[in-house]
Amino acid sequence: MTAPTDAELLTKKVADRRTFAIISHPDAGKTTLTEKVLLYGGAIHVAGSVKQNRGRAVTSDWMELERQRGISISTSVLQFEYGGRRINLLDTPGHNDFSEDTYRTLAAADCAVMLIDSVKGVEPQTIKLFQVCRMRGIPIITFINKMDRGGKEPLDLLDEIERVLGIPCTPVNWPIGSGQSFYGVYDRWAKEVLHFDRSDGGARRAEMTVGALEDEALRATIGETRHRQTLDELRLLETAGNPFDGDLFLRGGVTPVFFGSAMTNFGVEPFLDRFVELAPPPRARATTAGDLAADAPGFAGFVFKIQANMDSNHRDRVAFLRVCAGKFTRGMEVLHVRTGKTLALTRPLHFLGQERTLIDEAYSGDIIGLWDAGNLRIGDTLCVGTPREFEGIPRFSPEHFVRVRLTDPLRRKQLKKGLDQLSEEGAVQLFFDRTRLERDPVLGAVGVLQFEVIQHRLKSEYGVSVGFDRLPYVHARWIEGGPVELNRFERPGSTTSVLDVEGRPLVLFANEWAMRMAAEDHPNLKFIAAVQPGRAARPAA
């Protein structure tokens, strides 16, 4: 038998990759589902709990504050094998205050799992993230969670998804019972009943048995009324339901739907089995040099996240890179397109939450960590061969602002280092008064909880205690054009002008009226709501 060529091997490796993110409203069970996916994928042997006491903590929530608050506040990368596929799971924050991190991460995903709470239905944050997926053309697989609780009727949930989100639903399986009487699911494609047994509080895999819908034992267990209702619902789906179209799904035009309970592990295994077949492999991506196929021979990828201090003992800085084409090998030299410099990538990492392993190779679709001394920014492209850049990842305009008040003036150097590194992650944006420079810096964020995270991390990771003074501004706009006299924007309580980390001027506005008046008073200027992130040297404080 002839050995495969390098091109054939690359094509096969790429075809085996599945890279996805889970999107949901807070408390829909996203972190729990993530943990159970890891359990069934063999990456862990005992599943943790978000609201754990003395039990095992969840793998994806590795940051101390995440475990204290029981929420995800930072994107985690989780990689494992399942069903002959290489899975790259991007676990994103569910809380609305950290939505900017989620938006950036979705740029690195090829598919999304939309998690719906069966009790609450479609919620506001789910709607926002769904719209981002639709804008990016990301196909969506839906998992309706918490069927072990008394929630909305399954048909009503499908109707709500179609009505609110405007996407047709095709149930792949159908729940048998709900709440305490949740028995399992009927696989509509395989035409078989999948029954699950509760075990060990959901910490271990649920035993699954396969049966037929006509079994007398099933009828006796769930009761005649429930059995007849299930048959009626399935007949309705066959006659009036939406047929599944694979091509339409890949274009984001229909969503396959699964029912289950992540907490009890009911339905997780059949969901994963179908997911690895439904989810698409890496796709071609647009670049400044034209579309680039995922199995193109030359390596290329982009940075979508930067995380400081994943290893608190070494105060490291890791850039997360999505491989978009070709094969990556440890030690290879690549072009850093933004600067035109050549970088040697000698310390590539594979992740499971906070745990890391040095790797020798990766392929298109994989997420790798790169140890970084401060050269890389979010949105940067690294490639071999023809210089090209992928579509940028803009920074959103903040809506909340605080001035940083240092408790101990002797810790100013540590404060500078902490704010520099943490702002590079993208959770907050760092601004400076035009006269004070680095003294009393200003932070901007999409959500106020981000300030609490920064305050906690400055204390725990850099040994710096700070206070925050709330500023009365709700909009920020970068300025382009000119000439401009920035002092004209100094109107106490209404507008002020600050500089970002690259020295670019922007104006903070207290309300929309002030922003509208500034645009009318300065027709020669452009007020920009989103820009590419950056970093440049600044004068010392």
Side-chain angles (χ1 to χ4, degrees), residues 150 165 402:
L165 300 179
V402 296

Side-chain angles (χ1 to χ4, degrees), residues 176-425:
I176 301 175
S178 63
Q180 291 298 315
S181 63
F182 184 37
Y183 178 87
V185 295
Y186 176 72
D187 188 326
R188 296 182 63 223
W189 291 0
K191 300 189 183 305
E192 56 190 20
V193 173
L194 306 178
H195 169 60
F196 304 91
D197 291 321
R198 296 173 184 264
S199 62
D200 201 16
R204 302 185 187 277
R205 296 167 64 117
E207 291 296 324
M208 182 177 73
T209 55
V210 179
L213 199 58
E214 300 78 16
D215 286 350
E216 285 301 322
L218 172 65
R219 189 191 304 266
T221 301
I222 67 175
E224 184 66 33
T225 301
R226 173 63 69 181
H227 188 264
R228 185 169 57 252
Q229 179 183 347
T230 302
L231 291 176
D232 290 343
E233 290 172 342
L234 290 171
R235 291 192 191 101
L236 179 63
L237 292 174
E238 290 298 327
T239 57
N242 300 301
F244 180 72
D245 183 321
D247 291 335
L248 187 60
F249 158 67
L250 294 177
R251 297 197 302 271
V254 65
T255 178
V257 178
F258 297 81
F259 291 83
S261 164
M263 183 63 70
T264 62
N265 299 333
F266 282 31
V268 174
E269 186 174 358
F271 162 73
L272 263 180
D273 291 339
R274 295 290 188 192
F275 170 83
V276 295
E277 299 302 327
L278 286 169
R283 65 187 191 276
R285 288 181 174 257
T287 77
T288 53
D291 287 352
L292 181 63
D295 58 356
F299 163 80
F302 68 90
V303 175
F304 67 92
K305 174 181 174 62
I306 290 174
Q307 182 74 51
N309 303 327
M310 288 189 72
D311 183 346
S312 58
N313 294 324
H314 297 94
R315 293 289 182 260
D316 60 350
R317 184 177 190 269
V318 175
F320 291 76
L321 180 133
R322 157 67 194 246
V323 183
C324 296
K327 177 183 178 181
F328 170 88
T329 55
R330 179 182 174 187
M332 72 187 308
E333 293 188 343
V334 301
L335 174 67
H336 184 203
V337 178
R338 176 174 54 82
T339 63
K341 296 179 179 179
T342 298
L343 301 179
L345 306 182
T346 58
R347 297 176 61 181
L349 304 169
H350 154 95
F351 294 99
L352 184 64
Q354 190 180 19
E355 299 175 12
R356 59 183 70 186
T357 305
L358 205 60
I359 61 170
D360 292 319
E361 62 182 29
Y363 293 85
S364 182
D366 285 337
I367 307 298
I368 61 176
L370 302 173
W371 181 86
D372 177 45
N375 298 312
L376 299 175
R377 302 175 184 169
I378 292 173
D380 276 0
T381 296
L382 304 180
C383 67
V384 172
T386 303
R388 63 177 75 235
E389 289 188 281
F390 294 96
E391 294 179 346
I393 305 176
R395 296 298 304 272
F396 293 90
S397 172
E399 299 173 5
H400 306 275
F401 303 88
V402 296
R403 189 178 298 281
V404 180
R405 181 173 17 88
L406 182 59
T407 304
D408 181 358
L410 297 179
R411 306 292 291 176
R412 188 168 298 280
K413 182 178 179 180
Q414 290 81 357
L415 174 65
K416 178 184 183 304
K417 180 179 180 182
L419 289 180
D420 281 351
Q421 293 185 350
L422 296 178
S423 65
E424 284 172 343
E425 295 179 10

Side-chain angles (χ1 to χ4, degrees), residues 483-484 488-489 491 495 509 513-525 527:
V484 59
R488 294 185 62 186
F489 294 105
R491 298 177 179 177
T495 63
F509 299 95
W513 180 86
M515 189 165 56
R516 189 166 56 249
M517 291 301 297
E520 292 178 1
D521 292 342
H522 301 85
N524 60 319
L525 300 179
F527 293 88

